[in-house]
Amino acid sequence: MKSYVLTRIGLSIPMVLIILTIVFFVLRVLPGNPVLAMLGPKAPPEVVKEMEHKMGLDKPILVQYVNYLKNIAQGKFGESTVTGMPVIKELMQKFPATLELTIFAMIVAVLIGIFYGTYAAYNLGKPIDVSARIYSIFVYSFPVFWFGLMLQLVFGVWLHWLPVSGEASPFMTPDKTYTGMYVVDAIINGQWDVLKDSLNHLILPSITLGVVISSIFVRMVRANVVLTLSQQFVVAARARGVKEKTVLFKHALKNALPPILTIMGLQFALLLGGAVLTEVTFSWPGIGSYLVSRIHARDFPAIQGTIVFFAIFVAIISILVDVINAWINPRVRY
């Protein structure tokens, strides 16, 4: 197991290196000057040159790249050209909101995927199975921002049931911050009105993201449970007179879960980096919205830092998922 973990970590390092290299050079090839974006197009040339020298942008690109790698290795993501604050500090302020949204979206996706997919497999060829297959194709084709806008229109604008943007209403934030996630902090503080308000703000973005991702889980769960239901141990369980509900959930679903858990873990990691459109649609103050605002401002350090942060996080989650999978199934080895 130790050699497997070390191998898996070793394979992740080139992946992160390739991503940050691509991001670094692409940002410098694209048109636009971050200094002019920061100072404005009417800034005097001497001021622009002085700022470029201060930021190291007047050095050869390879020298900039080497310096960039050195800083990343030391955990330095640079300073935002918009706010002047360390990028890593801004990311850590935004990350709890993204993590909170991702967790609730995963809960929605897993509940739909597990139950809908399992019952579809159990009723193979029947209308519920056909509906699950149509659901997985139809929902997966939804543009996530369009689905979010439709939910906002129906439940926010027409019915006035739920808020359509933001993480909380004005003056409805936790008194003390422990995790940065409003739901958790509200529970710790015992502020139940803040908890209710936070949950109301989470419902629409969580359903938007969760429903779209659930289409993948429904397909995966259905396919694996169908395969498991045909195995000899399931036939033997039925022959012993075991109840169908026990056969379905204890025998079939339990044995079909390992590959499904792997996909769920990877989807969780990707959601953290892929919730950009949902965050923008619902004005959710997470890393996705932060990234979009910094792209508009041509804030090189912030853009690079955000993408590298995502890449490192996805790599860590992928390693954890693979290690858990190898622990469950000892046959998984490189």
Side-chain angles (χ1 to χ4, degrees):
M1 177 61 82
K2 186 178 179 181
S3 61
Y4 174 79
V5 174
L6 292 175
T7 304
R8 192 63 188 80
I9 293 173
L11 290 174
S12 298
I13 294 174
M15 183 199 77
V16 175
L17 186 63
I18 290 171
I19 290 174
L20 65 89
T21 301
I22 292 173
V23 172
F24 177 87
F25 285 104
V26 165
L27 283 175
R28 278 149 183 81
V29 169
L30 291 175
N33 187 323
V35 175
L36 287 178
M38 180 173 55
L39 300 177
K42 296 182 179 178
E46 58 273 17
V47 176
V48 173
K49 286 186 178 179
E50 183 181 347
M51 185 59 70
E52 286 179 343
H53 178 70
K54 185 178 178 182
M55 295 171 64
L57 296 175
D58 58 342
K59 296 178 181 176
I61 192 167
L62 287 179
V63 175
Q64 293 182 44
Y65 177 65
V66 172
N67 292 335
Y68 173 64
L69 293 182
K70 288 179 180 175
N71 289 330
I72 290 294
Q74 297 171 7
K76 298 177 181 176
F77 286 56
E79 295 178 349
S80 169
T81 58
V82 175
T83 63
M85 290 178 62
V87 172
I88 188 66
K89 186 176 181 180
E90 293 188 331
L91 289 174
M92 295 313 295
Q93 290 175 348
K94 302 290 183 182
F95 183 64
T98 297
L99 180 61
E100 187 173 46
L101 173 59
T102 302
I103 290 173
F104 278 84
M106 279 298 293
I107 291 173
V108 173
V110 169
L111 288 176
I112 295 175
I114 291 288
F115 289 102
Y116 201 5
T118 302
Y119 277 107
Y122 183 69
N123 295 280
L124 187 63
K126 295 181 180 178
I128 189 172
D129 178 38
V130 176
S131 72
R133 282 183 279 173
I134 294 174
Y135 172 87
S136 60
I137 296 172
F138 185 64
V139 172
Y140 190 69
S141 64
F142 278 175
V144 67
F145 66 92
W146 175 85
F147 186 48
L149 289 174
M150 291 301 101
L151 292 181
Q152 286 177 323
L153 181 65
V154 174
F155 296 101
V157 178
W158 289 349
L159 299 176
H160 300 287
W161 287 356
L162 295 166
V164 298
S165 65
E167 192 179 9
S169 302
F171 310 110
M172 293 294 282
T173 55
D175 290 338
K176 293 183 180 179
T177 302
Y178 298 96
T179 64
M181 294 187 284
Y182 281 9
V183 170
V184 178
D185 289 343
I187 293 174
I188 296 174
N189 290 327
Q191 294 176 274
W192 309 121
D193 53 340
V194 174
L195 174 63
K196 181 183 177 184
D197 182 72
S198 300
L199 290 173
N200 283 339
H201 280 79
L202 267 169
I203 290 175
L204 291 185
S206 299
I207 289 177
T208 300
L209 205 54
V211 166
V212 173
I213 297 300
S214 72
S215 59
I216 300 172
F217 294 165
V218 168
R219 180 181 287 264
M220 282 287 301
V221 171
R222 177 191 171 277
N224 281 281
V225 173
V226 165
L227 183 65
T228 310
L229 283 173
S230 64
Q231 300 295 314
Q232 288 298 319
F233 66 90
V234 174
V235 176
R238 281 175 168 160
R240 293 196 305 272
V242 177
K243 293 180 179 178
E244 279 298 304
K245 187 177 289 185
T246 305
V247 169
L248 185 60
F249 288 101
K250 188 175 179 180
H251 294 272
L253 181 59
K254 182 181 177 182
N255 286 279
L257 273 180
I260 298 169
L261 289 175
T262 302
I263 298 299
M264 287 179 176
L266 294 176
Q267 283 296 325
F268 180 79
L270 292 175
L271 272 181
L272 286 169
V276 175
L277 289 175
T278 306
E279 289 191 5
V280 172
T281 303
F282 289 94
S283 301
W284 193 260
I287 290 182
S289 298
Y290 173 77
L291 176 61
V292 172
S293 68
R294 292 301 185 263
I295 289 174
H296 287 306
R298 298 283 297 167
D299 188 344
F300 281 2
I303 298 169
Q304 291 171 169
T306 305
I307 295 175
V308 171
F309 182 82
F310 279 146
I312 293 173
F313 199 86
V314 170
I316 291 173
I317 296 292
S318 299
I319 292 170
L320 289 175
V321 169
D322 285 350
V323 170
I324 292 172
N325 200 27
W327 178 65
I328 294 173
N329 184 3
R331 291 175 295 178
V332 176
R333 289 290 184 275
Y334 282 105

